[in-house]
Amino acid sequence: LDRVNTKIADDAAVLLAFGTAKESRALRLTADIPAGAKPRDPAEVQRERTELRTAAASLFERALTIDPALAEAHLRLARLAMDRGDAARAEQELGKVKQASPDPSHGYLVNLWLGDIRERQKQWNAAAELYVEAVKARPDGQSAYVALAHVLHEMGQGIQAAGVMDRWFARGVTNPVADPWWLYPLGLDARLEARFDAIFAEVKAAKDAK
């Protein structure tokens, strides 16, 4: 992606994919000890994670200057803001997605993450309502059921929480891509593959013409 980004500058799809790769690397960074190796300094891991997230945010911002309607870039900026504790920026970005994108997967993540923000603020009823909206958007999304059950448990509604999980298990979900949150590290924009195919076709045509 680094080479592609150098050769094909200022392409929103490339910038989104490149930023997603950096963000996903940050998500996977741990201070675990590889076999036969010395443990990494947790502070060093944290610095590397911060650098990757900062680079990812910069790429998403650049993508949006080219294509302001790129909903996934707004989503990812919101997630990065949540990771650094900036709830106000996260809500701002999520609000843009909510207004502009009809994609149920985007709506699912918007409600899931807004619910997370309300939960951290201990606004239990508001969080529960948002998690219900997430379930409505993607009825097979496990994360929303778990989040809703957790909030109900925090509210002292243990029986209702168990009922939510019973509903989830009764659905018998076997589709490994049923929950957009599971797909998040890989990228959500189904149009990207088609965009890359078009780029590669353009490059091949240019080479053939020489």
Side-chain angles (χ1 to χ4, degrees), residues 68-146:
L70 200 57
E72 186 171 342
H74 286 297
L75 272 174
R76 292 185 175 279
L77 284 172
R79 186 69 234 179
L80 290 169
M82 289 176 69
D83 289 342
R84 64 175 183 268
D86 188 350
R89 174 66 189 276
E91 289 198 52
Q92 180 184 8
E93 295 295 340
L94 291 172
K96 293 175 183 177
V97 178
K98 197 169 188 176
Q99 291 175 0
S101 177
D103 189 323
S105 295
H106 293 166
Y108 173 88
L109 289 175
V110 166
N111 286 307
L112 187 67
W113 294 347
L114 284 173
D116 186 1
I117 291 170
R118 296 291 173 264
E119 188 175 345
R120 295 182 193 190
Q121 296 167 342
K122 300 190 183 302
Q123 297 182 33
W124 308 118
N125 286 324
E129 290 172 3
L130 287 159
Y131 291 145
V132 168
E133 291 302 312
V135 169
K136 289 179 181 178
R138 290 296 294 265
D140 286 345
Q142 182 193 47
S143 303
Y145 288 90
V146 173

Side-chain angles (χ1 to χ4, degrees), residues 155-167:
M155 296 168 68
Q157 299 179 25
I159 293 175
Q160 291 87 339
V164 169
M165 294 312 300
D166 285 341
R167 277 188 64 188

Side-chain angles (χ1 to χ4, degrees), residues 34-101:
K38 293 182 179 180
R40 290 190 67 188
D41 181 354
E44 179 189 342
V45 174
Q46 183 58 47
R47 282 194 299 273
E48 186 176 349
R49 186 182 292 122
T50 299
E51 288 171 1
L52 284 166
R53 285 174 171 164
T54 300
S58 177
L59 289 161
F60 298 144
E61 295 279 10
R62 285 175 57 195
L64 285 168
T65 62
I66 299 163
D67 183 0
L70 200 57
E72 186 171 342
H74 286 297
L75 272 174
R76 292 185 175 279
L77 284 172
R79 186 69 234 179
L80 290 169
M82 289 176 69
D83 289 342
R84 64 175 183 268
D86 188 350
R89 174 66 189 276
E91 289 198 52
Q92 180 184 8
E93 295 295 340
L94 291 172
K96 293 175 183 177
V97 178
K98 197 169 188 176
Q99 291 175 0
S101 177

Side-chain angles (χ1 to χ4, degrees), residues 6 8 11 13 23 27 33 40 64 85 96 119 133 145-146 154 162 175 200 202-203:
T6 301
I8 307 173
D11 184 279
E23 184 187 3
L27 286 170
I33 307 172
R40 290 190 67 188
L64 285 168
K96 293 175 183 177
E119 188 175 345
E133 291 302 312
Y145 288 90
V146 173
E154 289 292 326
N175 182 359
F200 294 144
E202 184 179 341
V203 172

Side-chain angles (χ1 to χ4, degrees), residues 105 108 138 140-143 168 172-188:
S105 295
Y108 173 88
R138 290 296 294 265
D140 286 345
Q142 182 193 47
S143 303
W168 156 250
V173 178
T174 58
N175 182 359
V177 296
D179 190 332
W181 188 217
W182 296 346
L183 287 174
Y184 183 78
L186 303 175
L188 300 168

